[in-house]
């Protein structure tokens, strides 16, 4: 076949490097800090089984029929009420259910992005967002991340010389770095964006997983007309359901619904009904408390092990939630080379350079702590330390 | 906000007319032949409830975890085996699970279509395909449909002067017309396409729902290297699961997987596992026999009522399966005007002109027979006949 047949958008895109890594790390005897999975021992398995039964009993055959594009009204009402409890003025009508946050990113690409349009992204950034937007052949404008959030000087300069349509952020427990934007950083970013026509995307898959520190302002309160808020049940309930959502102002929502129809008519309504049942019968906050307790402990165990075993000049972020620690080693170390050695020793992580679109810090690594227990975390970190030498 | 912010692909697209119609027809006391839903009384409700329980019991927490992009291997093996039983050389590796066939269309757009690329479509055509491809800003090349399939003269001429990347077909019980391509028509189409670099899409959501006549060749046997085969569980099991699939040659499959990752990582793996359980424990062919029996009867009831009550010059297609009848009235009648009158009398259908991209036949209508019982079908058709006068 002729390669010319493929679209230009897909011709030069390769499978994500991280996926290739994850394949290697899937073998049973590998200690993997490479993934980004929630801990499956913490899934509310019995409760979801019960919710499935209730959904069959309560909804009957309607449970299996086609449904509306926007999503299950009961579920969207539940989501809206949680926002309202945080003083965000969001109703079910402002919410579109998507197949995880990933589809929200793709739909935003469809609705906003022409070839060569500019998109501001974090540097380093979430790979799924890069992948989604890259297929719209956009120009990325990376802004370096610091421990307090985006580099404001870079952001101001970038916004002053470029007409960015979208500014993509993960302000809470960012993937890959684990950092959160400080309150001041958020206020300053909102102030800059208010001067523009741009939309800020707050991708927030980990927002409910805060195990220490104080919650910061949601961009939706700072910039209600210019914020596109993404949420997900993948990290808090079950990734297999592929259910996330997007909150958007009405004119954007209209276009998103058209794009969603064209993309797949509607999200899995069977799983939406089960989730609605689950929330009706269970205390979600109690479930979250469990998750936060575990992830908080696992983070401390990993942090402690790193401080104990890694070289003294190692720098670590201090995540207050989420699934990831970000580790910066001595400048002379390439974590990509380290990865090759580590995988031979059956321990894995993600080399940081995969996440950069500029100003690559090749001495960085992403470590996931959510899926391993104390013994495994300590063993894996000790092994890694030995390889670093 | 500025309209300029939206992508050019979305600016001029409006919500589908059919969706607007369906909203009107959703009221309880309307007799609707407008939809395209499978009959929910025929869903294997108890069996799926049981399969859900088994999935929870057999898979445990893995049922809820992230999964691979390609889809559930057990389910893909099952699909492959059904193809093999029809002598199609298809294995699980050739299959990618999608969110219904609709997502397969969107992914094909992503992988193949640049702006202004040419796509051959049926005239009249399935609206979901028009919607999906329209967002890739393509040029449609409509080929008129006859009772035996595509107009071959038009097709030859179109392919000779255009470089079409994709040829979109629904050769079995087409939506909207209910017609099937004859064996000769398929052979002739395959012969023409074999001379080109193009891919033929066989969208086949209704293929398993043949209630009369003989099965015809799958394009995959006629053109294995140039056929993209789409399948769906929406019409045979449950639309709410949003599960379909695409069969594609390896170089195309590679690109599709990248596009799928960027679109939503993977399809709902919870529902895939339940379906795999369902197929393990139940006789799918027996279930299909039930569906075909019902739909075959409903089709005959509607056909008989139309022949009894509609004007003598009414023309009808003769579907051998699927969900739709296509009715051509006297040339002077506009079914769009008829629709306005009909909806006031609480009976609904879809005016045919919605489905045309050229050579509009405004005296046509699509009638869905799958969701109403004998009494309702007769009552609705009699009412329609009175309005036609």
């Amino acid at each position: 076949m002729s390669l010319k047949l493929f679209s230009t958008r897909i011709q030069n895109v390769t499978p994500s490097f991280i996926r290739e890594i994850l394949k290697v790390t899937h073998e049973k005897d590998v200690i993997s800090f490479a993934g980004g999975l929630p801990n499956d021992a913490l899934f509310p398995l019995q409760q979801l089984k019960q919710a499935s039964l209730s959904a069959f009993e309560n909804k009957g055959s309607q449970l299996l029929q086609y449904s509306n594009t926007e999503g299950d009204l009961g579920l969207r009402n539940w989501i809206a009420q949680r926002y309202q409890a945080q003083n965000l003025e969001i109703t079910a009508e402002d919410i579109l259910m998507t197949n995880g946050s990933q589809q929200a990113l793709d739909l935003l690409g469809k609705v906003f992005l022409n070839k060569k349009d500019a998109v501001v992204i974090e540097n380093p950034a979430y790979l799924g967002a890069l992948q989604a937007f890259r297929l719209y052949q956009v120009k990325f404008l990376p802004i370096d991340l610091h421990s307090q959030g985006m580099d404001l000087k870079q952001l101001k300069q970038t916004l002053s010389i470029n007409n960015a349509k979208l500014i993509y952020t993960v302000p809470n427990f960012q993937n890959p770095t684990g950092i959160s934007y400080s309150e001041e950083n958020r206020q300053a970013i909102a102030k800059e964006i208010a001067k523009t026509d741009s939309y800020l995307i707050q991708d927030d898959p980990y927002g409910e997983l805060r195990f220490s520190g104080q919650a910061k302002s949601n961009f939706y309160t700072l910039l209600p007309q210019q914020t596109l808020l993404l949420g997900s049940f993948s990290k808090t309930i079950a990734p297999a359901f592929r259910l996330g959502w997007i909150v958007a102002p009405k004119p954007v929502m209209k276009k998103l619904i058209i794009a969603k129809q064209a993309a797949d008519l509607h999200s899995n309504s069977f799983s939406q009904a089960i989730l609605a049942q689950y929330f009706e019968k269970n205390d979600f906050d109690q479930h979250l408390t469990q998750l936060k307790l575990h992830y908080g402990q696992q983070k401390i165990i990993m942090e402690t092990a790193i401080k104990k075993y890694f070289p003294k000049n190692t720098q670590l972020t201090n995540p207050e939630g989420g699934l990831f620690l970000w580790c910066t080693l001595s400048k002379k170390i390439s974590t990509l080379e380290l990865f090759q050695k580590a995988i031979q020793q059956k321990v894995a992580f993600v080399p940081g350079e995969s996440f950069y679109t500029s100003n690559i810090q090749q001495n960085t690594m992403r470590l996931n702590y959510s899926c391993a227990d104390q013994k495994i975390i300590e063993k894996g970190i000790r092994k890694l330390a030995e390889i670093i030498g």
Side-chain angles (χ1 to χ4, degrees), chain A residues 48-65:
Chain A
L48 287 173
K49 184 175 164 188
Q50 207 47 56
S52 302
L53 283 180
S54 305
F56 273 101
E57 278 152 27
N58 299 344
K59 297 205 72 175
S61 58
Q62 278 311 303
L63 178 65
L64 303 173
Q65 189 54 284

Side-chain angles (χ1 to χ4, degrees), chain A residues 78-91:
Chain A
W78 183 89
I79 295 167
Q81 279 159 21
R82 280 189 78 85
Y83 282 129
Q84 288 158 18
Q86 297 169 54
N87 289 318
L88 305 188
E89 286 181 28
I90 292 170
T91 69

Side-chain angles (χ1 to χ4, degrees), chain A residues 96-104 107 232 234 241-245 260 263-264 266-268 272:
Chain A
L96 169 68
M97 297 306 300
T98 58
N99 308 327
S101 300
Q102 188 66 31
Q103 190 188 36
L107 295 178
S232 172
S234 293
F241 284 10
R242 309 304 307 117
L243 286 176
W245 64 89
K260 173 73 182 167
D264 58 11
H266 65 79
S267 288
N268 188 303
Q272 290 182 65

Side-chain angles (χ1 to χ4, degrees), chain A residues 186-259:
Chain A
R186 290 170 200 236
Q187 306 267 1
I189 290 169
K191 204 175 133 191
E192 287 310 311
I193 293 175
K195 298 175 193 164
T196 71
D197 257 353
S198 314
Y199 280 93
L200 179 138
I201 301 171
Q202 171 166 340
D203 191 0
D204 206 17
Y206 316 109
E208 299 265 30
L209 298 176
R210 172 177 290 282
F211 44 68
S212 64
Q214 289 298 314
K216 308 295 185 298
S217 291
N218 192 308
F219 274 108
Y220 195 88
T221 43
L222 304 174
L223 267 178
Q225 291 308 312
Q226 285 174 274
T227 297
L228 304 162
L229 191 50
L230 271 50
S232 172
F233 293 119
S234 293
K235 306 305 186 293
T236 54
I237 304 271
F241 284 10
R242 309 304 307 117
L243 286 176
W245 64 89
I246 178 163
V247 177
K250 290 213 164 33
V252 179
M253 183 54 74
K254 269 191 183 171
K255 300 291 187 189
L256 284 170
I257 288 171
I258 293 171

